[in-house]
Amino acid sequence: DEGQLSEETRESIIALPSEAIAALLESLPAEQRLKVWELISADEQGDVLFEMHDDARRHLINDMDEAELRSMAARLSPQELVELNELIPPKLYSRRLKLMSIKEQTAVNTAMRFDEDQVGRNIDSDFISISETLTSQQVMRLLRQWQIPSNTDLLCLVNDEGLYAGSVQLTDLFNAHPQQAIAELKLEEDPAIAAEMHMSEVADRNYQNHHAMMPVVDETGQLLGRITSQDILGWVQDDAEAAMLNQAGLSEDEDLFAPVKRSAKRRAVWLGINLFTALLASWTIGLFEATLEQVVALAILMPIVASMGGIAGSQTLTLAIRGLALGHLSMSNAMLIFKKEIAVGLLNGVVWAVVIGAMAGFWFQQVAIGMVIGAAILVNLIFAAISGVLIPLMLDKLKIDPALSGAVILTTVTDVVGFFAFLGLGSLFLV
Amino acid sequence: DEGQLSEETRESIIALPSEAIAALLESLPAEQRLKVWELISADEQGDVLFEMHDDARRHLINDMDEAELRSMAARLSPQELVELNELIPPKLYSRRLKLMSIKEQTAVNTAMRFDEDQVGRNIDSDFISISETLTSQQVMRLLRQWQIPSNTDLLCLVNDEGLYAGSVQLTDLFNAHPQQAIAELKLEEDPAIAAEMHMSEVADRNYQNHHAMMPVVDETGQLLGRITSQDILGWVQDDAEAAMLNQAGLSEDEDLFAPVKRSAKRRAVWLGINLFTALLASWTIGLFEATLEQVVALAILMPIVASMGGIAGSQTLTLAIRGLALGHLSMSNAMLIFKKEIAVGLLNGVVWAVVIGAMAGFWFQQVAIGMVIGAAILVNLIFAAISGVLIPLMLDKLKIDPALSGAVILTTVTDVVGFFAFLGLGSLFLV
């Protein structure tokens, strides 16, 4: 029957790498998604879930019965267990943990001590550490017996007390004399990073030091694991995606095929916040009810004033947010940027005041209305420049991410200022 | 005097790594920026420029005299020469190229054949290639004599004809028998990628295959070079930054301290585009001039209808844009997402129609106005859902990046539809 997948389709799905299966599942509506999910073996389920967004993961997990869940959980790797910890029942979490090796248990418990954006949470425990007392030949001999994990370009050294003692570039072993102490090959610039470090800083470091991996240590000097370039790359991609979604008031975990009710409920919050700012704008307009009754042209033209201010302000805001993120903008040079942006606002304000003023004057065959809208545009563009610099700086001081709420606050300002300036000037000169 | 940097400041600046100097320069206004730039040796200038944005680079280069430029250009690495090719005089470009080794010249000329977003342009020519006819012992011996570049976890093999023949994981050499042919150690899943590949696809590949580097080959099978995880990381970060700026109609090269005139001129273009859409909204309002004269409450409330539609639409749009980017949304499942988003729009439309309708009715003490705004909100949220899915799909089909122009088109639709529905219904039922 129609609802069934053909044998051929089944086989080609099973043959896909787990990232591709994850993408396929997220692109399918509920019913089909569950049908494909049934094809995935308990062995691979963890890998696939690892690559998915939270909402879609939850959808699949909620559909699994007790036995299926147990069998999947029992096969999770330490990194998968950490990533999925909130989605599987606590009982299964601890059961899986107990069946891990001591080393793996430590890895999981260590990761759970940190936030998702800290390197400690993103650690890979599959790495090589070696006593710093060995010779290069002894190390070579050990490496011949071991399975070396992919992405290994550094060997981590530990001292007698088991604490991190530096790193050796794997390729430096080739040129070393057999009897040379491995400790002598240590990199001068230690690539190790603290487990508390934010992943965005880790990304900058890694971009600069060009290592395929970096050792991660805690405050006592204990070597906790390593972070690889791919882990960092994955985080950076997820972070950029989250930033884009958060700007529209969406969660980065939003599922394309989330149930209608849940989607509607979540988005309603952002609509509610926006309604509040729209009401402020309407209230401003309401102050000039009597004027609007007399000069209906004002009602027709007012969206132009608000919208030009919003666009100009969001340009300044975006530049300021990038400046903050890259460390180019700080309190020390804020005044200079402030002046520059006001100058840009003034210049564009004058240009567009003339253009829009002329158009409006021509449209309504009245010079005064052109003058009023021109003046309002000028005022609003200057206010937009001021807000575009001040709002992100203030939010940053308050430890609020300006990329999240900056735009809403900014457009509230430019709407209110724009309407107030335009209708206020209209009341004075057109009635 | 005040304008001079203290000896201490000079020394601490010179000691910074080139990425930090680049960030410092971008955070300084014109005059101070040039003063710091003078401290940087011709040797390091290329490294620093490499890490900067185009506008700030141009600012520094424009300030250098003939001799300074010549001396900097003469020290550029192949990667730097490619990155800065548009900014230095063609004469200096070809002079620098001529003084490079044949290998480096080839690297530069190869890179220049590709777009900035293709892997061919981002190639690193510092890598190791080895004849596939050697034994593992012979390779080990060679490696002992060579300087192995950082981030090397693969050896690239070439056949008798000099064509790429596969890759060997460096660490597999440790476990290999001395007499084993290196060709036998070849990775089964060849990590090589085509030089034409888009960097975003390269990033996905690299995230999946966990190599510190990937060999890059052209259509004839020639090995052109390699791309490292750090090169990919740098591109992904730049790409995310560009996406954010482009959304606000800004260039990713925009300088925080660009001259006021140039900044104003560039931003004016985006303001002009926006003015056109705002005029469309005003024109729609103008159709209902007579109605507005009689019912001024419509003028007061109309921004709410437009703004709720804009917000709801941008949520759907953002989800659709992510879906397209991740491959979760395509023509094959578009109809399903379309239905789902319309259902979400309908649900939120009903909820907010009731809330806003009640508020407006209460505000103006008139049930009819509440009904009219409620109906307009409902209509606009459904149109917003439709546009939020259709606009990005259409732009994608036309090979236009929906992240760039999607939002402008969407808000034009929601403004026009919102005003038309609200004022149209108002004309029918309130006059």
Side-chain angles (χ1 to χ4, degrees), chain B residues 159-177:
Chain B
N159 64 18
D160 292 344
E161 289 150 26
L163 298 179
Y164 175 73
S167 292
V168 171
Q169 196 145 331
L170 196 62
T171 50
D172 285 343
L173 275 180
F174 291 112
N175 312 328
H177 187 277

mmCIF file with all atom_site columns, all heavy atoms in Angstrom, chain B residues 159-177:
data_model
loop_
_atom_site.group_PDB
_atom_site.id
_atom_site.type_symbol
_atom_site.label_atom_id
_atom_site.label_alt_id
_atom_site.label_comp_id
_atom_site.label_asym_id
_atom_site.label_entity_id
_atom_site.label_seq_id
_atom_site.pdbx_PDB_ins_code
_atom_site.Cartn_x
_atom_site.Cartn_y
_atom_site.Cartn_z
_atom_site.occupancy
_atom_site.B_iso_or_equiv
_atom_site.pdbx_formal_charge
_atom_site.auth_seq_id
_atom_site.auth_comp_id
_atom_site.auth_asym_id
_atom_site.auth_atom_id
_atom_site.pdbx_PDB_model_num
ATOM 1   N N   . ASN B 1 159 ? 50.401 9.755  -8.400  1.00 0.00 ? 159 ASN B N   1
ATOM 2   C CA  . ASN B 1 159 ? 50.852 8.622  -9.213  1.00 0.00 ? 159 ASN B CA  1
ATOM 3   C C   . ASN B 1 159 ? 51.967 9.039  -10.176 1.00 0.00 ? 159 ASN B C   1
ATOM 4   O O   . ASN B 1 159 ? 52.453 10.181 -10.109 1.00 0.00 ? 159 ASN B O   1
ATOM 5   C CB  . ASN B 1 159 ? 49.671 7.981  -9.949  1.00 0.00 ? 159 ASN B CB  1
ATOM 6   C CG  . ASN B 1 159 ? 49.038 8.946  -10.939 1.00 0.00 ? 159 ASN B CG  1
ATOM 7   O OD1 . ASN B 1 159 ? 49.649 9.949  -11.322 1.00 0.00 ? 159 ASN B OD1 1
ATOM 8   N ND2 . ASN B 1 159 ? 47.818 8.641  -11.347 1.00 0.00 ? 159 ASN B ND2 1
ATOM 9   N N   . ASP B 1 160 ? 52.343 8.131  -11.055 1.00 0.00 ? 160 ASP B N   1
ATOM 10  C CA  . ASP B 1 160 ? 53.453 8.392  -11.973 1.00 0.00 ? 160 ASP B CA  1
ATOM 11  C C   . ASP B 1 160 ? 53.226 9.622  -12.833 1.00 0.00 ? 160 ASP B C   1
ATOM 12  O O   . ASP B 1 160 ? 54.153 10.337 -13.202 1.00 0.00 ? 160 ASP B O   1
ATOM 13  C CB  . ASP B 1 160 ? 53.631 7.188  -12.934 1.00 0.00 ? 160 ASP B CB  1
ATOM 14  C CG  . ASP B 1 160 ? 54.123 5.976  -12.184 1.00 0.00 ? 160 ASP B CG  1
ATOM 15  O OD1 . ASP B 1 160 ? 54.607 6.170  -11.045 1.00 0.00 ? 160 ASP B OD1 1
ATOM 16  O OD2 . ASP B 1 160 ? 53.996 4.859  -12.719 1.00 0.00 ? 160 ASP B OD2 1
ATOM 17  N N   . GLU B 1 161 ? 51.954 9.860  -13.160 1.00 0.00 ? 161 GLU B N   1
ATOM 18  C CA  . GLU B 1 161 ? 51.651 11.008 -14.024 1.00 0.00 ? 161 GLU B CA  1
ATOM 19  C C   . GLU B 1 161 ? 51.505 12.303 -13.234 1.00 0.00 ? 161 GLU B C   1
ATOM 20  O O   . GLU B 1 161 ? 51.090 13.318 -13.775 1.00 0.00 ? 161 GLU B O   1
ATOM 21  C CB  . GLU B 1 161 ? 50.357 10.725 -14.797 1.00 0.00 ? 161 GLU B CB  1
ATOM 22  C CG  . GLU B 1 161 ? 50.536 9.669  -15.864 1.00 0.00 ? 161 GLU B CG  1
ATOM 23  C CD  . GLU B 1 161 ? 49.264 8.890  -16.092 1.00 0.00 ? 161 GLU B CD  1
ATOM 24  O OE1 . GLU B 1 161 ? 48.182 9.444  -15.822 1.00 0.00 ? 161 GLU B OE1 1
ATOM 25  O OE2 . GLU B 1 161 ? 49.357 7.725  -16.520 1.00 0.00 ? 161 GLU B OE2 1
ATOM 26  N N   . GLY B 1 162 ? 51.803 12.226 -11.931 1.00 0.00 ? 162 GLY B N   1
ATOM 27  C CA  . GLY B 1 162 ? 51.702 13.430 -11.110 1.00 0.00 ? 162 GLY B CA  1
ATOM 28  C C   . GLY B 1 162 ? 50.282 13.752 -10.703 1.00 0.00 ? 162 GLY B C   1
ATOM 29  O O   . GLY B 1 162 ? 50.008 14.830 -10.198 1.00 0.00 ? 162 GLY B O   1
ATOM 30  N N   . LEU B 1 163 ? 49.353 12.808 -10.942 1.00 0.00 ? 163 LEU B N   1
ATOM 31  C CA  . LEU B 1 163 ? 47.964 13.062 -10.561 1.00 0.00 ? 163 LEU B CA  1
ATOM 32  C C   . LEU B 1 163 ? 47.674 12.530 -9.159  1.00 0.00 ? 163 LEU B C   1
ATOM 33  O O   . LEU B 1 163 ? 48.325 11.593 -8.687  1.00 0.00 ? 163 LEU B O   1
ATOM 34  C CB  . LEU B 1 163 ? 47.022 12.407 -11.576 1.00 0.00 ? 163 LEU B CB  1
ATOM 35  C CG  . LEU B 1 163 ? 47.140 12.925 -13.003 1.00 0.00 ? 163 LEU B CG  1
ATOM 36  C CD1 . LEU B 1 163 ? 46.173 12.191 -13.921 1.00 0.00 ? 163 LEU B CD1 1
ATOM 37  C CD2 . LEU B 1 163 ? 46.877 14.436 -13.051 1.00 0.00 ? 163 LEU B CD2 1
ATOM 38  N N   . TYR B 1 164 ? 46.686 13.141 -8.518  1.00 0.00 ? 164 TYR B N   1
ATOM 39  C CA  . TYR B 1 164 ? 46.299 12.738 -7.162  1.00 0.00 ? 164 TYR B CA  1
ATOM 40  C C   . TYR B 1 164 ? 45.860 11.277 -7.158  1.00 0.00 ? 164 TYR B C   1
ATOM 41  O O   . TYR B 1 164 ? 45.086 10.841 -8.012  1.00 0.00 ? 164 TYR B O   1
ATOM 42  C CB  . TYR B 1 164 ? 45.165 13.628 -6.670  1.00 0.00 ? 164 TYR B CB  1
ATOM 43  C CG  . TYR B 1 164 ? 44.610 13.219 -5.330  1.00 0.00 ? 164 TYR B CG  1
ATOM 44  C CD1 . TYR B 1 164 ? 45.333 13.443 -4.152  1.00 0.00 ? 164 TYR B CD1 1
ATOM 45  C CD2 . TYR B 1 164 ? 43.361 12.609 -5.224  1.00 0.00 ? 164 TYR B CD2 1
ATOM 46  C CE1 . TYR B 1 164 ? 44.829 13.067 -2.927  1.00 0.00 ? 164 TYR B CE1 1
ATOM 47  C CE2 . TYR B 1 164 ? 42.845 12.223 -3.998  1.00 0.00 ? 164 TYR B CE2 1
ATOM 48  C CZ  . TYR B 1 164 ? 43.586 12.460 -2.847  1.00 0.00 ? 164 TYR B CZ  1
ATOM 49  O OH  . TYR B 1 164 ? 43.086 12.086 -1.640  1.00 0.00 ? 164 TYR B OH  1
ATOM 50  N N   . ALA B 1 165 ? 46.351 10.520 -6.165  1.00 0.00 ? 165 ALA B N   1
ATOM 51  C CA  . ALA B 1 165 ? 46.062 9.083  -6.152  1.00 0.00 ? 165 ALA B CA  1
ATOM 52  C C   . ALA B 1 165 ? 45.496 8.591  -4.826  1.00 0.00 ? 165 ALA B C   1
ATOM 53  O O   . ALA B 1 165 ? 45.391 7.379  -4.610  1.00 0.00 ? 165 ALA B O   1
ATOM 54  C CB  . ALA B 1 165 ? 47.335 8.305  -6.492  1.00 0.00 ? 165 ALA B CB  1
ATOM 55  N N   . GLY B 1 166 ? 45.130 9.518  -3.935  1.00 0.00 ? 166 GLY B N   1
ATOM 56  C CA  . GLY B 1 166 ? 44.569 9.099  -2.658  1.00 0.00 ? 166 GLY B CA  1
ATOM 57  C C   . GLY B 1 166 ? 45.338 9.695  -1.492  1.00 0.00 ? 166 GLY B C   1
ATOM 58  O O   . GLY B 1 166 ? 46.362 10.360 -1.681  1.00 0.00 ? 166 GLY B O   1
ATOM 59  N N   . SER B 1 167 ? 44.821 9.483  -0.281  1.00 0.00 ? 167 SER B N   1
ATOM 60  C CA  . SER B 1 167 ? 45.449 10.067 0.910   1.00 0.00 ? 167 SER B CA  1
ATOM 61  C C   . SER B 1 167 ? 45.717 9.010  1.975   1.00 0.00 ? 167 SER B C   1
ATOM 62  O O   . SER B 1 167 ? 44.978 8.034  2.090   1.00 0.00 ? 167 SER B O   1
ATOM 63  C CB  . SER B 1 167 ? 44.536 11.136 1.516   1.00 0.00 ? 167 SER B CB  1
ATOM 64  O OG  . SER B 1 167 ? 44.454 12.241 0.660   1.00 0.00 ? 167 SER B OG  1
ATOM 65  N N   . VAL B 1 168 ? 46.775 9.230  2.739   1.00 0.00 ? 168 VAL B N   1
ATOM 66  C CA  . VAL B 1 168 ? 47.128 8.334  3.843   1.00 0.00 ? 168 VAL B CA  1
ATOM 67  C C   . VAL B 1 168 ? 47.090 9.123  5.138   1.00 0.00 ? 168 VAL B C   1
ATOM 68  O O   . VAL B 1 168 ? 47.601 10.246 5.205   1.00 0.00 ? 168 VAL B O   1
ATOM 69  C CB  . VAL B 1 168 ? 48.536 7.752  3.626   1.00 0.00 ? 168 VAL B CB  1
ATOM 70  C CG1 . VAL B 1 168 ? 49.011 7.004  4.868   1.00 0.00 ? 168 VAL B CG1 1
ATOM 71  C CG2 . VAL B 1 168 ? 48.570 6.847  2.406   1.00 0.00 ? 168 VAL B CG2 1
ATOM 72  N N   . GLN B 1 169 ? 46.450 8.544  6.145   1.00 0.00 ? 169 GLN B N   1
ATOM 73  C CA  . GLN B 1 169 ? 46.433 9.205  7.441   1.00 0.00 ? 169 GLN B CA  1
ATOM 74  C C   . GLN B 1 169 ? 47.826 9.088  8.058   1.00 0.00 ? 169 GLN B C   1
ATOM 75  O O   . GLN B 1 169 ? 48.379 7.991  8.150   1.00 0.00 ? 169 GLN B O   1
ATOM 76  C CB  . GLN B 1 169 ? 45.384 8.527  8.329   1.00 0.00 ? 169 GLN B CB  1
ATOM 77  C CG  . GLN B 1 169 ? 45.029 9.359  9.522   1.00 0.00 ? 169 GLN B CG  1
ATOM 78  C CD  . GLN B 1 169 ? 43.557 9.195  9.885   1.00 0.00 ? 169 GLN B CD  1
ATOM 79  O OE1 . GLN B 1 169 ? 42.724 8.920  9.017   1.00 0.00 ? 169 GLN B OE1 1
ATOM 80  N NE2 . GLN B 1 169 ? 43.254 9.365  11.135  1.00 0.00 ? 169 GLN B NE2 1
ATOM 81  N N   . LEU B 1 170 ? 48.374 10.206 8.457   1.00 0.00 ? 170 LEU B N   1
ATOM 82  C CA  . LEU B 1 170 ? 49.744 10.247 8.971   1.00 0.00 ? 170 LEU B CA  1
ATOM 83  C C   . LEU B 1 170 ? 49.945 9.243  10.107  1.00 0.00 ? 170 LEU B C   1
ATOM 84  O O   . LEU B 1 170 ? 50.960 8.547  10.180  1.00 0.00 ? 170 LEU B O   1
ATOM 85  C CB  . LEU B 1 170 ? 50.038 11.666 9.454   1.00 0.00 ? 170 LEU B CB  1
ATOM 86  C CG  . LEU B 1 170 ? 51.493 12.041 9.681   1.00 0.00 ? 170 LEU B CG  1
ATOM 87  C CD1 . LEU B 1 170 ? 52.270 11.942 8.390   1.00 0.00 ? 170 LEU B CD1 1
ATOM 88  C CD2 . LEU B 1 170 ? 51.584 13.460 10.234  1.00 0.00 ? 170 LEU B CD2 1
ATOM 89  N N   . THR B 1 171 ? 48.944 9.153  10.970  1.00 0.00 ? 171 THR B N   1
ATOM 90  C CA  . THR B 1 171 ? 49.108 8.286  12.135  1.00 0.00 ? 171 THR B CA  1
ATOM 91  C C   . THR B 1 171 ? 49.107 6.806  11.758  1.00 0.00 ? 171 THR B C   1
ATOM 92  O O   . THR B 1 171 ? 49.593 5.979  12.534  1.00 0.00 ? 171 THR B O   1
ATOM 93  C CB  . THR B 1 171 ? 47.980 8.537  13.160  1.00 0.00 ? 171 THR B CB  1
ATOM 94  O OG1 . THR B 1 171 ? 46.726 8.484  12.475  1.00 0.00 ? 171 THR B OG1 1
ATOM 95  C CG2 . THR B 1 171 ? 48.134 9.892  13.799  1.00 0.00 ? 171 THR B CG2 1
ATOM 96  N N   . ASP B 1 172 ? 48.589 6.469  10.585  1.00 0.00 ? 172 ASP B N   1
ATOM 97  C CA  . ASP B 1 172 ? 48.619 5.067  10.165  1.00 0.00 ? 172 ASP B CA  1
ATOM 98  C C   . ASP B 1 172 ? 50.038 4.604  9.849   1.00 0.00 ? 172 ASP B C   1
ATOM 99  O O   . ASP B 1 172 ? 50.308 3.398  9.793   1.00 0.00 ? 172 ASP B O   1
ATOM 100 C CB  . ASP B 1 172 ? 47.713 4.847  8.940   1.00 0.00 ? 172 ASP B CB  1
ATOM 101 C CG  . ASP B 1 172 ? 46.246 4.858  9.319   1.00 0.00 ? 172 ASP B CG  1
ATOM 102 O OD1 . ASP B 1 172 ? 45.956 4.702  10.533  1.00 0.00 ? 172 ASP B OD1 1
ATOM 103 O OD2 . ASP B 1 172 ? 45.394 5.037  8.438   1.00 0.00 ? 172 ASP B OD2 1
ATOM 104 N N   . LEU B 1 173 ? 50.928 5.563  9.637   1.00 0.00 ? 173 LEU B N   1
ATOM 105 C CA  . LEU B 1 173 ? 52.327 5.213  9.390   1.00 0.00 ? 173 LEU B CA  1
ATOM 106 C C   . LEU B 1 173 ? 52.952 4.528  10.600  1.00 0.00 ? 173 LEU B C   1
ATOM 107 O O   . LEU B 1 173 ? 53.834 3.676  10.468  1.00 0.00 ? 173 LEU B O   1
ATOM 108 C CB  . LEU B 1 173 ? 53.142 6.466  9.077   1.00 0.00 ? 173 LEU B CB  1
ATOM 109 C CG  . LEU B 1 173 ? 53.147 6.958  7.634   1.00 0.00 ? 173 LEU B CG  1
ATOM 110 C CD1 . LEU B 1 173 ? 54.009 8.198  7.533   1.00 0.00 ? 173 LEU B CD1 1
ATOM 111 C CD2 . LEU B 1 173 ? 53.689 5.869  6.722   1.00 0.00 ? 173 LEU B CD2 1
ATOM 112 N N   . PHE B 1 174 ? 52.504 4.911  11.777  1.00 0.00 ? 174 PHE B N   1
ATOM 113 C CA  . PHE B 1 174 ? 53.102 4.354  12.994  1.00 0.00 ? 174 PHE B CA  1
ATOM 114 C C   . PHE B 1 174 ? 52.903 2.843  13.079  1.00 0.00 ? 174 PHE B C   1
ATOM 115 O O   . PHE B 1 174 ? 53.767 2.116  13.530  1.00 0.00 ? 174 PHE B O   1
ATOM 116 C CB  . PHE B 1 174 ? 52.505 5.017  14.246  1.00 0.00 ? 174 PHE B CB  1
ATOM 117 C CG  . PHE B 1 174 ? 52.901 6.443  14.393  1.00 0.00 ? 174 PHE B CG  1
ATOM 118 C CD1 . PHE B 1 174 ? 51.972 7.448  14.248  1.00 0.00 ? 174 PHE B CD1 1
ATOM 119 C CD2 . PHE B 1 174 ? 54.219 6.790  14.677  1.00 0.00 ? 174 PHE B CD2 1
ATOM 120 C CE1 . PHE B 1 174 ? 52.339 8.775  14.386  1.00 0.00 ? 174 PHE B CE1 1
ATOM 121 C CE2 . PHE B 1 174 ? 54.591 8.116  14.819  1.00 0.00 ? 174 PHE B CE2 1
ATOM 122 C CZ  . PHE B 1 174 ? 53.646 9.115  14.675  1.00 0.00 ? 174 PHE B CZ  1
ATOM 123 N N   . ASN B 1 175 ? 51.716 2.403  12.669  1.00 0.00 ? 175 ASN B N   1
ATOM 124 C CA  . ASN B 1 175 ? 51.399 0.974  12.795  1.00 0.00 ? 175 ASN B CA  1
ATOM 125 C C   . ASN B 1 175 ? 51.816 0.160  11.584  1.00 0.00 ? 175 ASN B C   1
ATOM 126 O O   . ASN B 1 175 ? 51.696 -1.054 11.582  1.00 0.00 ? 175 ASN B O   1
ATOM 127 C CB  . ASN B 1 175 ? 49.898 0.775  13.001  1.00 0.00 ? 175 ASN B CB  1
ATOM 128 C CG  . ASN B 1 175 ? 49.335 1.691  14.063  1.00 0.00 ? 175 ASN B CG  1
ATOM 129 O OD1 . ASN B 1 175 ? 50.039 2.021  15.017  1.00 0.00 ? 175 ASN B OD1 1
ATOM 130 N ND2 . ASN B 1 175 ? 48.098 2.108  13.904  1.00 0.00 ? 175 ASN B ND2 1
ATOM 131 N N   . ALA B 1 176 ? 52.293 0.822  10.538  1.00 0.00 ? 176 ALA B N   1
ATOM 132 C CA  . ALA B 1 176 ? 52.570 0.110  9.290   1.00 0.00 ? 176 ALA B CA  1
ATOM 133 C C   . ALA B 1 176 ? 53.889 -0.662 9.369   1.00 0.00 ? 176 ALA B C   1
ATOM 134 O O   . ALA B 1 176 ? 54.818 -0.272 10.079  1.00 0.00 ? 176 ALA B O   1
ATOM 135 C CB  . ALA B 1 176 ? 52.627 1.094  8.132   1.00 0.00 ? 176 ALA B CB  1
ATOM 136 N N   . HIS B 1 177 ? 53.950 -1.766 8.627   1.00 0.00 ? 177 HIS B N   1
ATOM 137 C CA  . HIS B 1 177 ? 55.195 -2.508 8.498   1.00 0.00 ? 177 HIS B CA  1
ATOM 138 C C   . HIS B 1 177 ? 56.139 -1.698 7.610   1.00 0.00 ? 177 HIS B C   1
ATOM 139 O O   . HIS B 1 177 ? 55.693 -1.127 6.618   1.00 0.00 ? 177 HIS B O   1
ATOM 140 C CB  . HIS B 1 177 ? 54.906 -3.893 7.878   1.00 0.00 ? 177 HIS B CB  1
ATOM 141 C CG  . HIS B 1 177 ? 56.097 -4.780 7.850   1.00 0.00 ? 177 HIS B CG  1
ATOM 142 N ND1 . HIS B 1 177 ? 57.041 -4.712 6.852   1.00 0.00 ? 177 HIS B ND1 1
ATOM 143 C CD2 . HIS B 1 177 ? 56.518 -5.741 8.709   1.00 0.00 ? 177 HIS B CD2 1
ATOM 144 C CE1 . HIS B 1 177 ? 57.990 -5.592 7.094   1.00 0.00 ? 177 HIS B CE1 1
ATOM 145 N NE2 . HIS B 1 177 ? 57.705 -6.235 8.220   1.00 0.00 ? 177 HIS B NE2 1
#
